[in-house]
Amino acid sequence: MTGLKKVKTAVFISGRGSNLNNLIKFSKTKKSPIIIDLVISDKKAFGLKYADQYKIKKKIISFKSIKIAEKKCLIILKKRNIELICLAGFMRILSKNFIKKFKGIIINIHPSYLPKYKGLNTSLRALKNNEKFSGCTVHYVSSKLDSGKVILQKKVRITKNETEISLDRKIIKEEHKLYPAAISKILY
Ligand code: GAR
């Protein structure tokens, strides 16, 4: 990144929003290449409280009709000149058409060491398969689920007596380091 202009970013969420909160905090640091301008959620998610807390514009868009939802998203993204979308626990799959029409970059964070464990319940499935490690991955978004090019990933060791809760807790901690690092990696 050159000069002082920070990349205008939208964060898409569906739930708790701990990554959103973490990205907002990161965006407030001097070294951050992004400014968070918009939060989009497909429902009344808990994480929207962080948008309120930091006075960031928020928009709830129902995804009952994906076509209409994506159209609405594209309009607001364009209006606000958004250049980067960070998916952060956004539990919808964006269409090929949306990805093509949005002229900026779209990235996602996923709670597994991809290409292992795409989709949901990643920690539970890793535990059931007696894996030695899981992890998290930040990747570019393509129209295939959890399959775009990897930007950064981090392994997390699975210990004896590990539970889904304890593993999720370890992974989310790593996610909070990995997402800002991946953003810096692609924008600087
Ligand atoms: C995170 O673990 C994120 O990796 C995962 O949802 C959680 C959201 O937590 N995303 C996916 O599973 C996407 N396929 P948060 O709402 O506290 O950021």
Side-chain angles (χ1 to χ4, degrees), residues 15-20 88-91 108-111 119 146 172 175:
R16 178 179 56 181
S18 76
N19 274 292
L20 168 65
F90 183 65
M91 296 310 195
N108 179 43
I109 189 153
H110 183 75
D146 302 327
I172 200 82
E175 287 188 25

Side-chain angles (χ1 to χ4, degrees), residues 13-21 24 39-53 58 60 88-89:
I13 65 165
S14 295
R16 178 179 56 181
S18 76
N19 274 292
L20 168 65
N21 186 27
I24 295 171
V39 176
I40 287 182
S41 176
D42 61 328
K43 53 166 86 109
K44 274 190 183 164
F46 179 83
L48 287 169
K49 75 168 191 167
Y50 299 113
D52 293 335
Q53 191 179 323
K58 66 168 194 251
I60 300 170

Side-chain angles (χ1 to χ4, degrees), residues 71-83:
K71 218 177 185 174
K72 284 186 184 166
C73 286
L74 284 167
I75 289 169
I76 186 163
L77 290 163
K78 192 165 183 191
K79 193 171 141 203
R80 298 186 76 86
N81 295 312
I82 299 295
E83 305 165 274

Side-chain angles (χ1 to χ4, degrees), residues 9-69:
T9 300
V11 182
F12 283 36
I13 65 165
S14 295
R16 178 179 56 181
S18 76
N19 274 292
L20 168 65
N21 186 27
N22 182 60
L23 287 180
I24 295 171
K25 284 186 179 151
F26 169 63
S27 76
K28 307 269 180 207
T29 63
K30 234 183 178 172
K31 61 176 195 262
S32 162
I34 60 165
I35 178 166
I36 298 177
D37 178 71
L38 174 67
V39 176
I40 287 182
S41 176
D42 61 328
K43 53 166 86 109
K44 274 190 183 164
F46 179 83
L48 287 169
K49 75 168 191 167
Y50 299 113
D52 293 335
Q53 191 179 323
Y54 291 95
K55 298 190 168 49
I56 296 168
K57 168 118 186 132
K58 66 168 194 251
K59 195 103 193 159
I60 300 170
I61 295 178
S62 160
F63 267 67
K64 253 188 191 152
S65 157
I66 295 180
K67 237 185 171 170
I68 295 171

Side-chain angles (χ1 to χ4, degrees), residues 66 70 74 93-103 106 141-145:
I66 295 180
E70 289 187 339
L74 284 167
I93 298 169
L94 296 167
S95 74
K96 224 183 231 171
N97 178 58
F98 178 89
I99 294 165
K100 207 175 89 189
K101 287 228 169 98
F102 177 67
K103 295 297 175 216
I106 311 177
V141 171
S142 71
S143 52
K144 264 199 194 152
L145 177 67

